[in-house]
Amino acid sequence: MQEFELIRKYFRPLAGPGAFGLGDDAALLKPPAGCELVVTKDVVVEGVHFRAEEVAANVAKKALRVNLSDLAAKGAQPIGYLLGLMLPRADDAWLSGFTQGLREDQKTYGITLLGGDTVQTLGPLTISLTAIGYVTEGNMLRRNGAQAGDVVMVSGMLGDAAIGLQVLQGKRQTADDAYFVDRYRHPQPRLALGQALRGVASACMDISDGLAQDAGHLATQSGVAIWIDQARLPVHPALRALQNWDAICAGGDDYELLFTVPAEKEKLLTHIAENAKIMLTKIGVVEKGEGVKIIDGDGNLLNLSKCGWQHFGHTN
Amino acid sequence: MQEFELIRKYFRPLAGPGAFGLGDDAALLKPPAGCELVVTKDVVVEGVHFRAEEVAANVAKKALRVNLSDLAAKGAQPIGYLLGLMLPRADDAWLSGFTQGLREDQKTYGITLLGGDTVQTLGPLTISLTAIGYVTEGNMLRRNGAQAGDVVMVSGMLGDAAIGLQVLQGKRQTADDAYFVDRYRHPQPRLALGQALRGVASACMDISDGLAQDAGHLATQSGVAIWIDQARLPVHPALRALQNWDAICAGGDDYELLFTVPAEKEKLLTHIAENAKIMLTKIGVVEKGEGVKIIDGDGNLLNLSKCGWQHFGHTN
C-alpha cells in the first residue's frame, strides 16, 4: 500500500472543515470571533508511552487524549488535530483499528482531523499529534498564576493509571483490575472542567508525570511553594489499601487537572464540580517559598522513593 | 540529562511570543486581523528523509524547511512551529548543533518555536514538525483551481537534489558536486514567490516527491490534465548533460513551486520573478482530461522508469 492510497482509504474520511479532504499541503484555520487558538503537541512512542501489545484503537485514543488533556488544562475547547504517524509497516488490520479509535474519539470530543503526515520508520510505532483548540481572548489558563493563600485542588483520583499499568505488566492483581486498566488505557481529558475554571483558577495544568513532579512545575512557574496534605489525596479505596504512595504521587498518566483557586472563589467549585460531573478535592495550599511538600498524618514530609516520571532512562 | 533540563537548556532560548518560555502545556496564537492561519505537518526520519551521517544543524534545517515549503505553496507567511523530537539518546553535541541550525533558520525566516515535545525512542531519530503561518482571508493558494488553458509554471531548477543525494551516496561524481549536495541538504522554501502568487496562480503546490507525481496530485485535485514539454524543463547544465530524466521528473526533494496561471495573468510573472529573485519557467499547459503527460522532442510520451518517490518500500 502506498502513502497516498493509505491516506485516501483511512484518513480522508476523518478530515473536517479546513482540511480540504487532506488533498492539499496544509489546513486553513480561524479562531471564532473574540477567541485565540491554543496549540499543543505530545508524542507517544510504542514501548515508552504505550505497550507494544496494545490494540490499535486504544493507541489512537491515548495519543489523542493526552493532547486533549493539555487543551483541557488551558481551558480550551478543542477544534481538531494534525497527525504525524510513523509506521514500521502499513498493516490494514492495524490501520483499520487505529482509525476506528480516532473516529470514535472525534465524535466524543467534537473534533476533526486537520492534516498530518504518514511515514515509514524502521523504529517503533510513534505518533506525534498536534491538537488545536480555542479560548476566549485573554482567558487561557496558565501555570504561573498561583499565589500564596490559594487552595490547591485536584480532579478525579490519583495513581489509578500507574496501578493499571502494573496490572497489565503482570506485576499486580487487585479485585478492581478492570477499573485500573481502563484508567491507564483511556485517559479522560477534563475539558468541561478546564473550561469552567476560566476566570476561577489562578493556575492550572494536567498531571501527566505524577502529582509530585507536576506540582513542582506549577510551583516553579508561579514562584510559590505548594503544600499538599497526604491524607486529603483522592485515592481509590483499593489503591488506598495498597498504601502505594509512589503510584499515587509519582505514578504518571493520571491526566487529572491540578489547579489553584483564590480562597474567595473556592465556594464556586461545588457548582463547577456538579456541572462537569467530576469530583474535586482540596489537597493543599499555596504558600510563599518554593517547591512541593507532601505532609503525612504525623506532620512529617512524605519520603517518595522516586520523584515522578522521567522520559530519559525510563521505559515501560 | 532529563527532559526538562534538556528543554531549559536547548529549546527555551528558541521560544517566541505565545510560547510562554515553553513552561506551559500549550502555546497561544492569534492570526493578524483579516487573516487566517495555515497549519501543516511533515515528518522526517533518519535513514528515510535524511542520511544518518548528516550533521545536526542540517537535519534541523531540513525538517524546518520542508514544512516552510508547504507554507510557501499556500502563499502563507510563516509565524512559528511546534517541534516533536524523537531522540534515540540525549547527546549534548548533537543537540547543540541541532538547535544552532534551528536558531539560524528562525532568523532567516522570521519565525520562533511555539512548543513541542521531546521523547526518547528506541528507533531512528525522527522529527515531526508542525509549521504555522497566515494568509489574508480567502487568499490561500490551493491545488484545486487549475483550469484548461492555464499555463503550467515551475520555479528554480528540477532534479538537483536527487543528484546531490547520489553524490552523497558515492554513486555519482560531477564537476558541480558542491552545488548538487547543497540543493539536497538545504531546501529553499519559496516563500516570497508563494506570497506573490496569491490572486495570480489558479493552483499551486510544492514539489517534494518529484514533478511527475506531484503534477499528478495537482491534476487530480483540479480535475484536469497537465501536459508538460520535456524540452522546457529547467535543468542545471551539468544535469542536462547527464540526461537523467528520472532525477529531473521523479527525483524528489526539489521543494520548488509548481503552479498554474490563467493565460491572461502570465504577463505578471516577469515582475513576480524579479521581485522574488527566482527563475520561473513555463513548462506546459493545462488541458481538459486527467493525468500528467510529459512530451519529448519527438512528440512522444516520456517513459519514466519510475513514477516518483513513494514512502512505503523506499528508503535512501
Side-chain angles (χ1 to χ4, degrees):
Chain A
M1 186 163 34
Q2 301 297 346
E3 182 190 5
F4 300 104
E5 188 189 335
L6 185 155
I7 291 170
R8 199 161 39 234
K9 185 168 174 187
Y10 291 108
F11 294 106
R12 186 173 295 174
L14 302 175
F20 310 113
L22 308 181
D24 250 278
D25 299 287
L28 193 60
L29 205 63
K30 203 183 169 186
C35 292
E36 299 170 298
L37 289 175
V38 180
V39 189
T40 187
K41 180 194 268 290
D42 261 352
V43 178
V44 296
V45 181
E46 178 184 289
V48 182
H49 303 90
F50 61 91
R51 303 172 73 239
E53 306 86 328
E54 193 54 85
V55 301
N58 289 341
V59 173
K61 289 179 181 185
K62 181 130 193 190
L64 206 43
R65 292 179 186 196
V66 301
N67 277 281
L68 295 179
S69 181
D70 281 328
L71 293 184
K74 313 325 287 170
Q77 171 72 33
I79 299 171
Y81 63 103
L82 293 97
L83 181 72
L85 186 57
M86 288 132 264
L87 284 176
R89 70 214 144 264
D91 174 308
D92 260 309
W94 190 89
L95 280 162
S96 187
F98 184 76
T99 45
Q100 179 59 27
L102 293 177
R103 188 175 299 113
E104 288 169 14
D105 266 10
Q106 288 194 183
K107 206 173 160 192
T108 303
Y109 298 106
I111 57 177
T112 59
L113 179 62
L114 292 169
D117 194 12
T118 302
V119 298
Q120 189 176 26
T121 175
L122 305 172
L125 174 66
T126 302
I127 300 149
S128 171
L129 202 138
T130 301
I132 304 181
Y134 64 88
V135 287
T136 47
E137 234 166 287
N139 275 332
M140 188 176 90
L141 296 172
R142 297 278 314 276
R143 291 181 178 180
N144 67 349
Q147 302 219 354
D150 290 356
V151 298
V152 179
M153 305 288 306
V154 73
S155 67
M157 288 192 283
L158 299 175
D160 295 341
I163 300 299
L165 176 57
Q166 291 176 6
V167 169
L168 285 171
Q169 289 170 332
K171 293 180 184 167
R172 187 179 295 279
Q173 269 195 309
T174 78
D176 302 278
D177 278 0
Y179 165 81
F180 289 122
V181 166
D182 184 65
R183 288 279 285 157
Y184 173 73
R185 278 206 176 116
H186 294 120
Q188 301 293 327
R190 302 302 184 190
L191 289 157
L193 173 61
Q195 289 165 37
L197 290 175
R198 294 190 306 227
V200 176
S202 51
C204 184
M205 68 181 296
D206 70 327
I207 304 175
S208 54
D209 295 337
L211 173 69
Q213 182 173 309
D214 284 332
H217 293 308
L218 198 148
T220 301
Q221 289 292 321
S222 293
V224 295
I226 289 182
W227 290 57
I228 292 171
D229 181 351
Q230 183 189 8
R232 287 174 175 267
L233 293 178
V235 179
H236 189 278
L239 176 46
R240 187 172 296 276
L242 295 172
Q243 288 286 309
N244 187 331
W245 294 99
D246 277 352
I248 297 163
C249 294
D253 277 319
D254 293 304
Y255 299 105
E256 296 296 344
L257 294 187
L258 171 72
F259 58 99
T260 59
V261 173
E264 71 273 16
K265 291 188 177 173
E266 199 184 333
K267 59 184 181 300
L268 299 172
L269 295 175
T270 313
H271 185 63
I272 287 173
E274 268 170 26
N275 274 1
K277 296 183 180 56
I278 181 75
M279 182 175 77
L280 298 181
T281 307
K282 177 176 172 174
I283 60 169
V285 290
V286 180
E287 299 277 359
K288 286 184 180 165
E290 59 182 30
V292 177
K293 294 181 177 66
I294 303 180
I295 314 292
D296 72 12
D298 300 322
N300 298 318
L301 280 182
L302 188 68
N303 184 19
L304 295 172
S305 64
K306 56 175 182 168
C307 190
W309 176 270
Q310 291 288 355
H311 290 285
F312 283 91
H314 181 159
T315 59
N316 63 17
Chain B
M1 186 163 32
Q2 300 299 343
E3 181 191 5
F4 300 103
E5 187 190 337
L6 186 156
I7 292 170
R8 200 163 36 236
K9 185 168 175 186
Y10 291 108
F11 294 106
R12 184 170 298 172
L14 301 175
F20 310 114
L22 309 182
D24 246 282
D25 298 286
L28 193 61
L29 205 62
K30 205 184 169 184
C35 292
E36 299 171 299
L37 290 176
V38 180
V39 189
T40 188
K41 180 195 268 290
D42 261 351
V43 178
V44 296
V45 180
E46 177 184 290
V48 182
H49 303 90
F50 60 91
R51 305 172 73 237
E53 306 87 328
E54 193 53 85
V55 301
N58 289 342
V59 174
K61 290 179 180 183
K62 181 131 193 190
L64 206 44
R65 293 179 185 195
V66 300
N67 277 281
L68 294 179
S69 181
D70 281 329
L71 293 185
K74 312 325 285 171
Q77 170 72 33
I79 300 172
Y81 63 102
L82 292 98
L83 180 72
L85 186 57
M86 288 134 265
L87 284 177
R89 69 213 146 265
D91 174 307
D92 260 309
W94 190 89
L95 280 162
S96 186
F98 184 77
T99 46
Q100 179 59 26
L102 293 177
R103 186 174 301 113
E104 288 169 13
D105 266 9
Q106 288 194 184
K107 204 174 162 191
T108 303
Y109 298 107
I111 57 177
T112 59
L113 178 62
L114 292 170
D117 194 12
T118 302
V119 299
Q120 189 177 25
T121 177
L122 305 172
L125 173 66
T126 303
I127 300 149
S128 171
L129 203 137
T130 301
I132 304 180
Y134 63 88
V135 285
T136 47
E137 234 166 286
N139 274 333
M140 189 176 89
L141 296 173
R142 297 279 312 275
R143 291 181 179 180
N144 68 348
Q147 302 218 355
D150 290 356
V151 298
V152 179
M153 306 288 304
V154 74
S155 66
M157 288 192 282
L158 299 175
D160 295 340
I163 300 299
L165 176 58
Q166 291 176 7
V167 169
L168 285 171
Q169 290 169 332
K171 292 180 185 167
R172 187 179 294 279
Q173 270 195 308
T174 78
D176 300 277
D177 279 0
Y179 165 81
F180 289 122
V181 166
D182 184 64
R183 288 279 286 157
Y184 172 73
R185 278 208 176 116
H186 295 120
Q188 303 292 327
R190 303 300 184 192
L191 289 157
L193 173 61
Q195 290 165 36
L197 291 175
R198 293 189 306 227
V200 177
S202 51
C204 183
M205 69 181 297
D206 70 326
I207 305 175
S208 54
D209 296 336
L211 172 70
Q213 181 171 309
D214 284 333
H217 294 308
L218 197 148
T220 301
Q221 290 292 319
S222 293
V224 296
I226 289 183
W227 290 58
I228 292 171
D229 182 351
Q230 183 189 9
R232 288 174 173 266
L233 293 178
V235 179
H236 188 278
L239 176 46
R240 186 172 298 276
L242 294 172
Q243 288 285 310
N244 186 332
W245 294 99
D246 277 353
I248 297 164
C249 294
D253 278 319
D254 292 304
Y255 300 103
E256 296 295 346
L257 293 188
L258 171 72
F259 57 100
T260 58
V261 173
E264 71 273 15
K265 291 188 176 171
E266 200 185 333
K267 59 183 181 299
L268 300 172
L269 294 176
T270 312
H271 186 62
I272 286 173
E274 268 171 25
N275 274 0
K277 297 182 179 56
I278 180 77
M279 181 175 77
L280 299 181
T281 308
K282 178 176 172 175
I283 60 170
V285 290
V286 180
E287 299 278 358
K288 286 185 182 167
E290 59 182 29
V292 176
K293 294 181 179 64
I294 303 180
I295 314 293
D296 72 13
D298 300 323
N300 298 318
L301 279 182
L302 190 67
N303 183 20
L304 294 171
S305 64
K306 56 175 183 168
C307 189
W309 177 269
Q310 291 289 354
H311 290 285
F312 283 91
H314 182 158
T315 60
N316 63 16

